[in-house]
Amino acid sequence: MAQDRVEAVERALTVLEAFDVDQEAFTLAELAQATGFYKSTLLRLLGSLARFDYVQRSRDGRWSLGSAPLRLARRHPPSRHLTTRIQPLLDRLAAHTGETAALIESHGRQAECRLVALPDAALRHELRPGSQWPLAAGDDPRPELPGGEMLLQALPSVPGEPRRWLTLSGPASRLDARSEAALRAARDELSAVSEVEAMT
């Protein structure tokens, strides 16, 4: 009903809906075209959304989603279940190896860090949930890490869900056969838990 509508809120939500495409960042002109709003109106809406970290502006003036939508998405039951199962495993893996342990998933041609556990080491891969980068050739989800390396183990695919990998990353000189073995063991543990859940 008309009395249930708040026009400013609906405009802000219209702006957020414009980000639900494969494109990662937008100029103000592109957002104006996508939403039909004047640039002056858009700037006010984007300013409010940025204050609550729903969007962020890069140095080149392009706009992208902030971390708030991802934080809220984790409260959705399927994501909450994923966090409950995998975050403790990542925490143990990072503590055991001294490297950054993460859950990476693919969306179209983009890879995204969903969950991460950082080690106490001063020299480490500073990966954050919500970080995104283009998939390399052959659907390789590893980002470029100058002086570093990312080991990965693919998780069993689930129909209707993104492809996912468990990863360990850090300085290339520290990642060795023991790191590979620890990552494989973590993958096997998670796969075993998933099989048990599927049978119950």
Side-chain angles (χ1 to χ4, degrees):
M1 295 190 302
Q3 63 265 34
D4 295 331
R5 297 182 58 199
V6 179
E7 190 172 337
V9 173
E10 292 193 2
R11 286 183 176 182
L13 292 173
T14 300
V15 174
L16 289 177
E17 287 287 331
F19 290 92
D20 189 20
V21 294
D22 287 340
Q23 185 172 336
E24 187 176 348
F26 298 81
T27 64
L28 188 63
E30 289 171 331
L31 286 173
Q33 184 176 5
T35 61
F37 297 151
Y38 291 114
K39 290 181 182 178
S40 56
T41 301
L42 259 178
L43 279 174
R44 290 194 302 273
L45 292 167
L46 289 165
S48 293
L49 290 168
R51 276 189 285 280
F52 287 86
D53 200 22
Y54 281 87
V55 298
Q56 54 190 9
R57 190 177 187 181
S58 62
R59 291 181 181 178
D60 65 1
R62 289 158 62 88
W63 294 88
S64 60
L65 284 176
S67 62
L70 181 65
R71 175 174 49 80
L72 291 177
R74 290 195 193 105
R75 306 305 302 162
H76 190 255
S79 291
R80 201 177 326 164
H81 182 59
L82 189 71
T83 302
T84 302
R85 280 193 308 157
I86 297 179
Q87 188 64 56
L89 183 70
L90 296 178
D91 293 340
R92 291 197 309 272
L93 190 56
H96 176 67
T97 64
E99 306 300 347
T100 299
L103 174 70
I104 306 295
E105 66 181 30
S106 63
H107 299 275
R109 298 299 306 160
Q110 291 286 115
E112 179 181 334
C113 173
R114 282 295 306 279
L115 301 170
V116 69
L118 297 173
D120 289 332
L123 183 61
R124 65 189 185 188
H125 180 201
E126 287 287 336
L127 191 57
R128 300 291 177 195
S131 301
Q132 293 186 345
W133 56 89
L135 282 173
D139 294 335
D140 189 334
R142 290 174 287 194
E144 287 188 23
L145 295 174
E149 188 177 352
M150 178 178 277
L151 308 176
L152 71 157
Q153 288 287 326
L155 295 178
S157 59
V158 177
E161 292 192 10
R163 293 176 62 195
R164 294 187 174 110
W165 297 264
L166 284 182
T167 69
L168 270 181
S169 54
S173 60
R174 291 200 315 233
L175 292 166
D176 55 20
R178 288 177 298 177
S179 307
E180 286 268 18
L183 186 59
R184 277 196 307 273
R187 188 272 320 270
D188 292 344
E189 178 184 339
L190 188 59
S191 297
V193 169
S194 298
E195 286 175 9
V196 170
E197 288 178 345
M199 291 187 292
T200 56

